[in-house]
Amino acid sequence: MTKEVIVNGALGKMGQEVVKLLNRTDGFKLVSAVDKVDIGEDIHKLLGVSAPVVEIESDLAEAISKTEPDAVVDFTTPQVVMENIETGLENGINMVIGTTGITEADIDKIEDWTEEAEAKVIIAPNFAVGAILMMKFSQMAAKYLDQAEIIELHHDQKLDAPSGTAIKTAELINEVQNATEKEVDEIEKIIGARGGEEGNINIHSVRLSGLVAHQEVLFGGVGQTLKIRHDSINRRSFMPGVKLALESLDEVDGVVYGLEKLMEF
Ligand SMILES: NC(=O)C1=CN([C@@H]2O[C@H](COP(=O)(O)OP(=O)(O)OC[C@H]3O[C@@H](n4cnc5c(N)ncnc54)[C@H](O)[C@@H]3O)[C@@H](O)[C@H]2O)C=CC1
Ligand SMILES: O=C(O)C1=N[C@H](C(=O)O)C[C@H](O)C1
């Protein structure tokens, strides 16, 4: 059965990739493209793809009521992601969330909303399979090398720091090293912070034009260091993971946090 999908943040760097993913993948249909940017033209003129003719909607709730989709994919901003999730769940719609800036306290709240809504939410700070492997390898290394720091490097338009991937990586390392439950105090939602400390892990954030998404996890041990690095060369790197999440919505319950939960190791 064809899954009908709304893309929220459709005109953004990631939203445009998801629109293209839906258009080239059998079994999925883009039914609405939501964004706050008013472009005054329809989506395929902007994206240059033979997208089915969908209007650009500016309001997610309205788009949901018009199309009654099977799922919403959200790649918007840290400032608005929680209200978007609440809107989708209030309407009983399953959601795939790529937007970052979601804290552990937010996840507790989303779990409550999901129970009431009987809908499912898959949240992944990073959908690139290589990035998931980087995190899993880092978790393995953390058993044997007790010191680690993270350097994450992104394009200069990224609004938040540290990245969601770096925070998730630090959480996985801290789990193994039984670190204190210290979250990044305040995930800076505008460029300004240059990192933070998550548990025992210091995170350093680089923002430069020309970069896409890159992370190095540096471990220190007796007389040695270990470096584990992942590079997203372009944003198509995230699309197999987004497709996996959309396909997995029927198989999961409640809230799934992290694409690794959908992968077999
Ligand atoms: N999970 C993953 O694998 C990845 C996650 N991200 C995250 O996704 C988010 C978006 O990243 P980009 O696409 O690079 O940003 P972007 O700034 O290019 O796109 C965001 C889009 O959302 C729109 N928007 C803002 N507020 C909105 C609202 N209330 N309703 C609907 N649309 C709204 C903006 O107009 C913009 O078009 C960020 O949080 C980023 O960290 C980015 C890449 C991969
Ligand atoms: O903003 C980005 O580009 C990315 N954001 C995500 C994050 O904050 O981890 C995922 C990826 O690093 C790209």
Side-chain angles (χ1 to χ4, degrees):
M1 186 186 83
T2 297
K3 273 191 191 295
E4 300 191 343
V5 181
I6 289 178
V7 179
N8 196 30
L11 302 184
K13 294 183 289 295
M14 284 300 293
Q16 291 187 41
E17 286 301 327
V18 179
V19 167
K20 287 185 260 186
L21 169 73
L22 297 175
N23 288 333
R24 65 172 179 262
T25 308
D26 290 342
F28 293 103
K29 182 182 176 191
L30 174 73
V31 291
S32 185
V34 181
D35 204 295
K36 290 297 182 192
V37 170
D38 174 11
I39 56 157
E41 56 185 313
D42 61 26
I43 193 163
H44 60 264
K45 280 189 198 148
L46 182 96
L47 298 182
V49 293
S50 54
V53 178
V54 291
E55 291 303 311
I56 299 284
E57 296 277 354
S58 61
D59 182 81
L60 179 58
E62 203 167 310
I64 289 173
S65 68
K66 283 181 184 175
T67 60
E68 295 179 359
D70 298 298
V72 170
V73 176
D74 187 285
F75 281 97
T76 54
T77 71
Q79 287 87 341
V80 301
V81 65
M82 284 300 283
E83 73 184 73
N84 295 339
I85 295 172
E86 190 171 24
T87 298
L89 292 177
E90 274 170 355
N91 289 278
I93 305 294
N94 295 332
M95 301 193 83
V96 170
I97 307 298
T99 310
T100 47
I102 296 174
T103 64
E104 292 192 9
D106 291 334
I107 290 173
D108 293 343
K109 203 179 290 183
I110 297 166
E111 282 171 343
D112 294 343
W113 294 341
T114 311
E115 272 165 33
E116 289 157 26
E118 291 176 10
K120 299 88 168 286
V121 184
I122 295 174
I123 302 167
N126 199 311
F127 280 103
V129 171
I132 306 306
L133 292 173
M134 166 184 60
M135 294 187 231
K136 294 297 280 189
F137 297 156
S138 297
Q139 207 175 28
M140 286 166 65
K143 292 192 184 100
Y144 302 97
L145 297 167
D146 59 359
Q147 288 183 4
E149 302 220 0
I150 295 172
I151 302 168
E152 52 96 347
L153 308 95
H154 284 84
H155 54 90
D156 61 351
Q157 296 160 52
K158 184 169 178 56
L159 296 179
D160 53 328
S163 69
T165 303
I167 292 169
K168 176 75 176 164
T169 307
E171 287 170 352
L172 292 170
I173 294 172
N174 287 324
E175 265 173 40
V176 168
Q177 296 181 343
N178 303 314
T180 51
E181 279 297 303
K182 183 176 182 298
E183 278 195 41
V184 168
D185 290 337
E186 169 55 26
I187 297 169
E188 289 290 328
K189 296 192 169 107
I190 50 172
I191 286 211
R194 276 295 177 265
E197 191 181 336
E198 176 75 25
N200 289 339
I201 310 297
N202 284 311
I203 303 170
H204 311 272
S205 303
V206 176
R207 296 291 177 265
L208 280 175
S209 63
L211 293 172
V212 176
H214 317 264
Q215 180 172 296
E216 265 185 28
V217 186
L218 297 174
F219 286 91
V222 176
Q224 59 194 308
T225 60
L226 169 67
K227 179 164 72 174
I228 302 172
R229 180 178 172 116
H230 176 260
D231 296 277
S232 271
I233 310 302
N234 60 50
R235 289 176 178 85
R236 276 197 70 162
S237 60
F238 305 111
M239 292 304 111
V242 172
K243 179 170 177 285
L244 172 62
L246 281 167
E247 290 167 339
S248 303
L249 278 169
D250 295 336
E251 320 302 326
V252 301
D253 287 314
V255 181
V256 173
Y257 173 53
L259 194 73
E260 69 279 5
K261 304 278 181 32
L262 305 179
M263 294 165 65
E264 289 173 16
F265 290 98

